[in-house]
Amino acid sequence: MDVGNRNSKKYVRITDAVFALLLAVLTAILIWRAPYGLDRCDECFYLTVPYRFLQGDLPIAQEWHVSQLSGLLLTPILWVYQRLGGPTEGIVLNFRYIYIGFQCAAALAIYLLLRKKSPLGALLAVLLFLPFSPYYIMALSYNSMGIGLLLIAGLVLAFKDSSPLCQCTAGLLFAMAVLCCPYLLILYFGWGVYAVLRTVIGKNRAWLYGFLRFTAGAAAAALIVLAVILSRVTIHDIGKALPWIMDEPEHNYLTAAELTVKYLFHVLFSRKIALAASVAAAAVLAAGTLDKKIGEHKWLYVLAGAGITAVYLTVVYLRYRYINFFMLPMCILGAVCYFADSSRDRAVFRYVYVTGWVYSYLMVLSSNNFYEALTASLTVSAAASAYFAGKTAHQLFAERTGKNTAAAASAVCCTLLAFSCLFACKLKDTHGSYIEFAIFPRELLHYTVDRGPAKGIVTYDNEWARYTERYDTAETLRQAEGENVLYLTHDCWMYLADGKRNAAFSAWLAVTHESLYERLTAYYALRPEKQPDAVYVEKDILMEPEKILALWNTDEFTREENDTAVIFIRQKNIA
């Protein structure tokens, strides 16, 4: 686009104004939405990792969850929060607001990086990215941070005026994304092979130099992380803990071939509409490839792609109503619009659209979710798809070849508008209450938590009663002397309820899994200093309370029991 042209300048100014308005409106909606819905498991777990690191616990050696590296990204954020006087009480809601800040900053970066390429495309990419919270969880996590960091890293690489500094910055952002999904190292090596092949075949050293600069940025981040870890943990401790970390009981360990087949199955066959839409899109692309007059007929292909996407989105919304699933239909529209674009943006296609598909596959490798993880990760590709749709729509309008072109461009815009309306409906009628994958209507969410880490959160009656009962029940543990406490429960928020230190190998304990006893036994054998001074055993876990107590082979504990839990406290630690 010629930004020196008067009309282009006016177009950019108008789009900038629309972006500012869009950012303000969506931010206001997200802030309004933030207090609704109590997630007592995943969202609170994300905070327990940096929280225990700041209390002095060691990465890897004393935290055994596979996702803990993303906690290193959250640690400085939580440190600043604490230095500014941020309390533990209400920390869940406060970090939802911090998450909104992250989303807004990422949205601004996305818009600025794409603005010169296509202002309308940049606007639509932001519209897709900003309101989306993976799994409805408004939290900084390996999911949300991984998506945002990888998306921006790809856009920096695809930036038209990409300089050595941009390439180093992209490497730095990519390394941060690797902390959220270590399997992204496979993508790094894939990019390296691609750069070498382009250098050798095309005899253009710029590809190799660019990759080396990218590597320098990534290496700088990696060295910082290694320095932080190795300054506190010995290689010997890491070696002893790693087998237990990698043997996480909740993950399904399949071969790469089995996972690949399962991945393709979920993309094509897990939903009937997915197979039909994929076949239809493939037919459209095949017809376009064989069409010798593609330049004259491309509006037909764009119209067909928009129609397929609209039907796919409608079925997903009406039948599944799960926000992660919206991303896969958008990728179909992106592929068709990219194909129909006469000035294809190969850099964005390569570093964002294709990268997003690879990322979704790698997330399946590292996740105990399949279709949910796959579709959430495709936000990267879906954002590129929205950009392609906007870019192609503007091009069709600009060519002014007749009503057919206007109709096709309008179809693209209407599809994106329909998509945004679906988001608006989700934000208006439901409030992302992520409780056992359930979405609760607004009229049921009117009980406000008034104490503890979830203070300020609005939830429904049963969840409010559960939270309040457990918070009050654990008062005995909070008042007891001693610094180590073990909560055997699904409610990860309990580790954020006081200043005591986590006595478990992780706040995420898989308390209903049979291997819990074995893992606790191994943990205390390796880390005897983490022996608990107080233990909370929820009654709905599989392990008997007395079996838990036998881990320490001591009669120094007193025993209390109520309707929900059994509590053990060392007698010398009773306040």
Side-chain angles (χ1 to χ4, degrees):
M1 182 186 66
D2 181 13
V3 294
N5 180 274
R6 180 179 300 177
N7 292 331
S8 295
K9 285 184 177 180
K10 182 178 179 180
Y11 170 48
V12 171
R13 285 197 300 269
I14 292 174
T15 313
D16 287 348
V18 174
F19 167 75
L21 179 62
L22 177 70
L23 184 64
V25 170
L26 286 178
T27 301
I29 292 174
L30 290 173
I31 292 173
W32 168 66
R33 172 185 180 266
Y36 292 92
L38 173 62
D39 172 22
R40 49 190 167 83
C41 302
D42 297 58
E43 181 179 8
C44 297
F45 167 68
Y46 303 143
L47 288 171
T48 64
V49 177
Y51 185 66
R52 77 182 300 178
F53 288 165
L54 289 176
Q55 287 180 311
D57 279 7
L58 305 175
I60 301 178
Q62 292 181 326
E63 169 64 50
W64 282 6
H65 199 272
V66 292
S67 70
Q68 65 177 283
L69 292 180
S70 62
L72 295 175
L73 295 176
L74 280 171
T75 300
I77 299 174
L78 182 58
W79 182 87
V80 171
Y81 173 82
Q82 291 181 334
R83 296 288 82 75
L84 294 176
T88 301
E89 188 171 64
I91 190 173
V92 174
L93 180 57
N94 290 336
F95 262 77
R96 288 186 185 181
Y97 294 131
I98 293 173
Y99 161 81
I100 293 171
F102 171 83
Q103 287 290 98
C104 290
L108 179 60
I110 291 167
Y111 181 75
L112 292 177
L113 288 166
L114 290 174
R115 174 175 172 269
K116 284 189 176 182
K117 291 171 174 282
S118 170
L120 178 59
L123 194 65
L124 294 180
V126 168
L127 177 63
L128 184 141
F129 170 82
L130 182 55
F132 176 68
S133 303
Y135 301 95
Y136 288 104
I137 304 176
M138 294 180 66
L140 292 174
S141 67
Y142 53 85
N143 288 311
S144 60
M145 291 190 298
I147 290 169
L149 291 167
L150 185 62
L151 174 55
I152 297 172
L155 290 177
V156 171
L157 281 177
F159 190 58
K160 182 177 180 181
D161 301 318
S162 186
S163 63
L165 179 60
C166 286
Q167 292 166 340
C168 289
T169 301
L172 180 66
L173 293 169
F174 181 81
M176 295 168 69
V178 169
L179 293 178
C180 300
C181 176
Y183 282 93
L184 278 172
L185 284 173
I186 297 174
L187 178 61
Y188 166 79
F189 290 115
W191 278 352
V193 171
Y194 180 78
V196 170
L197 291 175
R198 289 296 297 261
T199 301
V200 173
I201 297 174
K203 297 182 179 180
N204 185 352
R205 295 182 180 180
W207 285 95
L208 182 59
Y209 292 152
F211 179 73
L212 291 176
R213 296 185 191 104
F214 176 84
T215 299
L223 288 174
I224 293 173
V225 171
L226 285 174
V228 169
I229 294 176
L230 294 179
S231 67
R232 304 184 59 198
V233 186
T234 66
I235 298 294
H236 177 73
D237 288 336
I238 293 175
K240 294 230 172 170
L242 272 180
W244 292 99
I245 294 173
M246 300 307 296
D247 188 29
E248 218 287 321
E250 287 190 320
H251 285 73
N252 297 313
Y253 294 98
L254 303 174
T255 65
E258 291 171 330
L259 282 169
T260 300
V261 171
K262 196 165 187 175
Y263 175 84
L264 294 174
F265 172 82
H266 278 284
V267 171
L268 297 174
F269 303 108
S270 60
R271 304 291 186 273
K272 291 181 179 178
I273 183 62
L275 179 60
S278 299
V279 171
V284 169
L285 294 174
T289 302
L290 298 174
D291 190 349
K292 295 181 179 180
K293 296 183 178 181
I294 180 65
E296 298 177 15
H297 299 157
K298 63 183 177 182
W299 63 271
L300 282 171
Y301 301 106
V302 171
L303 190 61
I308 294 168
T309 302
V311 172
Y312 198 168
L313 281 171
T314 302
V315 172
V316 167
Y317 178 71
L318 294 177
R319 184 167 183 178
Y320 303 108
R321 290 178 178 255
Y322 193 56
I323 200 167
N324 286 27
F325 299 169
F326 295 157
M327 297 305 165
L328 187 52
M330 290 304 302
C331 293
I332 289 179
L333 179 63
V336 174
C337 288
Y338 175 77
F339 171 79
D341 190 350
S342 58
S343 58
R344 295 172 184 170
D345 193 333
R346 289 176 173 81
V348 171
F349 183 79
R350 180 189 309 119
Y351 293 120
V352 185
Y353 185 84
V354 174
T355 290
W357 278 99
V358 175
Y359 176 52
S360 71
Y361 173 73
L362 297 176
M363 279 298 290
V364 167
L365 290 181
S366 61
S367 176
N368 59 345
N369 294 313
F370 282 91
Y371 194 70
E372 292 83 358
L374 183 161
T375 50
S377 306
L378 279 176
T379 305
V380 177
S381 298
S385 297
Y387 161 72
F388 291 144
K391 185 173 181 293
T392 304
H394 178 256
Q395 182 186 93
L396 292 174
F397 274 121
E399 290 176 353
R400 302 185 182 187
T401 57
K403 294 182 180 180
N404 291 333
T405 299
S410 298
V412 174
C413 293
C414 288
T415 300
L416 269 295
L417 180 61
F419 179 74
S420 65
C421 288
L422 294 180
F423 270 122
C425 289
K426 304 301 288 185
L427 293 169
K428 180 177 183 295
D429 297 331
T430 59
H431 291 271
S433 180
Y434 178 76
I435 307 165
E436 305 299 332
F437 291 91
I439 309 302
F440 290 85
R442 178 185 176 187
E443 58 267 19
L444 296 182
L445 300 175
H446 55 264
Y447 285 79
T448 303
V449 177
D450 62 355
R451 66 195 79 172
K455 182 178 180 179
I457 297 295
V458 183
T459 185
Y460 73 112
D461 51 357
N462 290 343
E463 194 66 17
W464 176 86
R466 174 191 171 91
Y467 174 92
T468 303
E469 180 183 33
R470 280 154 178 73
Y471 184 86
D472 293 343
T473 298
E475 182 65 26
T476 304
L477 282 75
R478 292 194 293 273
Q479 295 299 324
E481 295 181 359
E483 64 175 1
N484 292 335
V485 62
L486 173 63
Y487 289 102
L488 294 176
T489 173
H490 291 288
D491 294 15
C492 295
W493 61 264
M494 299 185 81
Y495 283 105
L496 303 170
D498 52 49
K500 296 187 183 298
R501 298 176 68 168
N502 187 345
F505 53 81
S506 177
W508 193 276
L509 290 174
V511 292
T512 58
H513 201 278
E514 296 178 357
S515 68
L516 176 59
Y517 183 84
E518 178 187 6
R519 292 173 69 80
L520 284 172
T521 301
Y523 185 70
Y524 293 124
L526 292 174
R527 313 301 311 187
E529 73 279 5
K530 297 300 294 181
Q531 295 277 348
D533 300 300
V535 183
Y536 176 100
V537 186
E538 195 157 297
K539 287 187 174 180
D540 63 358
I541 71 171
L542 294 180
M543 191 179 297
E544 293 294 329
E546 284 69 22
K547 189 175 183 180
I548 292 290
L549 195 62
L551 284 169
W552 302 282
N553 192 27
T554 177
D555 57 0
E556 294 182 355
F557 287 86
T558 61
R559 187 181 192 276
E560 299 180 17
E561 184 173 354
N562 55 47
D563 293 339
T564 60
V566 179
I567 295 173
F568 299 102
I569 300 178
R570 290 186 189 272
Q571 294 183 32
K572 63 180 180 180
N573 294 324
I574 299 176

